[in-house]
Amino acid sequence: MYLLGSLGVHFADCKASEGNVSSLVAEMLVQRVAKDLRSEQPHLRGRACWAVGQFSDFIAQDNAFHVDVTSQVLERFGDEALPVRFQAAVALRKLVYDEETRAPVEGVAHIVA
């Protein structure tokens, strides 16, 4: 999971128009990362939250998936493991706040309001 999240920095430089990369990243996010947000293992839940934060730009491209993942990360605030709650807080900031415009991301602001 750490390896996948680390690749997010490199994929962020790719344009959304590069369908090959975007489709592979989206598939990986749906099949691995979103699934691990509900893992029985706290370490995987924490790493999944971290990976969501790393790929927040890609997640924001699909509004339905963005809303779903943001809701799942918000659920991790009630997790029994402190590291999971911490990673969820970091990821949530990246999911709902656009650092360039310094404004909430449209489409998910109603979830955290």
Side-chain angles (χ1 to χ4, degrees):
M1 187 68 61
Y2 188 70
L3 175 65
L4 295 176
S6 296
L7 293 174
V9 175
H10 300 293
F11 288 134
D13 294 333
C14 297
K15 302 273 189 240
S17 62
E18 294 179 23
N20 242 358
V21 173
S22 291
S23 65
L24 290 173
V25 170
E27 184 178 332
M28 183 247 336
L29 289 170
V30 170
Q31 290 182 356
R32 294 296 335 147
V33 177
K35 182 179 172 184
D36 284 343
L37 284 170
R38 298 182 189 262
S39 172
E40 293 182 13
Q41 301 297 319
H43 180 73
L44 287 178
R45 291 192 306 270
R47 282 294 177 202
C49 288
W50 175 82
V52 163
Q54 297 299 309
F55 286 99
S56 60
D57 291 338
F58 279 98
I59 292 170
Q61 293 175 7
D62 180 353
N63 191 46
F65 186 59
H66 192 196
V67 169
D68 182 49
V69 168
T70 302
S71 296
Q72 288 185 49
V73 168
L74 201 54
E75 289 174 15
R76 295 301 95 205
F77 273 61
D79 202 283
E80 73 245 8
L82 178 62
V84 175
R85 294 192 308 261
F86 175 79
Q87 291 298 338
V90 173
L92 188 65
R93 182 175 188 274
K94 293 180 179 182
L95 288 169
V96 301
Y97 182 74
D98 186 351
E99 293 181 13
E100 290 179 15
T101 64
R102 297 184 178 215
V105 174
E106 291 185 32
V108 293
H110 69 282
I111 294 173
V112 295

